[in-house]
């Protein structure tokens, strides 16, 4: 269990935090971006949770370490979904916020913009966490 697992009231408050990330749709991805004008994936997640009163670390792998691990079938709006090329937590290289209904909000790569996207079979997250 992550260090934030006991904060149920804070998590309930964070259920509205996807709105903070969704408000950034269209802004550019910039490596190391923390907002307000540009973001990278972990910067978008960190800022959205900060607006909900929850402090998360800056780097995607550290954000995962600060969550309670869940299975993909347990996903709820506001959970983190993460990708690892190696399949191990130490290889996590991308994070997004699950919106529900098989969609998420992310900033995918330099040159792209904050967007919503569907979960798809060719690009499935490998890790799931609940702050």
């Amino acid at each position: 269990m992550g260090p934030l697992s006991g904060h149920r009231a804070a998590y309930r408050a964070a259920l509205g935090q996807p709105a903070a990330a969704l408000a950034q749709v269209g802004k550019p991805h910039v490596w190391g971006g923390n907002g307000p004008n540009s973001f990278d994936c972990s910067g978008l997640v960190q800022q959205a949770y900060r607006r909900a009163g929850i402090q998360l670390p800056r780097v995607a792998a550290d954000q995962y370490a600060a969550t309670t691990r869940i299975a993909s079938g347990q996903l709820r709006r506001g959970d983190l979904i993460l990708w690892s090329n190696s399949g191990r937590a130490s290889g996590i290289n991308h994070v997004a916020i699950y919106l529900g209904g098989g969609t998420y909000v992310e900033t995918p790569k330099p040159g792209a913009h904050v967007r919503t996207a569907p979960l798809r079979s060719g690009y499935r997250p490998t890790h799931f966490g609940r702050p």
Side-chain angles (χ1 to χ4, degrees):
M1 290 177 73
L4 299 177
S5 63
H7 296 208
R8 296 267 183 233
Y11 178 72
R12 283 192 296 276
L15 290 176
Q17 82 39 255
L22 286 168
Q24 309 312 314
V25 167
K27 291 187 178 177
H29 177 110
V30 173
W31 187 261
N34 282 323
N37 299 316
S38 61
F39 296 90
D40 68 8
C41 65
S42 57
L44 178 68
V45 168
Q46 184 185 49
Q47 291 302 319
Y49 270 91
R50 180 175 290 151
R51 288 182 184 199
I54 295 175
Q55 297 299 314
L56 283 179
R58 176 61 180 86
V59 179
D62 294 339
Q63 290 173 347
Y64 179 64
T67 68
T68 299
R69 278 70 168 162
I70 58 171
S72 61
Q74 296 174 298
L75 280 170
R76 297 190 304 217
R77 182 176 177 86
D79 287 339
L80 301 186
I81 57 175
L82 306 99
W83 289 258
S84 168
N85 291 335
S86 68
R88 296 188 315 261
S90 62
I92 288 174
N93 57 15
H94 186 56
V95 61
I97 300 170
Y98 186 67
L99 298 173
T103 62
Y104 58 95
V105 61
E106 68 166 350
T107 180
K109 61 184 178 182
H113 294 83
V114 177
R115 67 179 185 184
T116 60
L119 291 172
R120 57 190 189 277
S121 60
Y123 187 61
R124 298 290 295 181
T126 55
H127 294 77
F128 309 90
R130 181 164 296 147

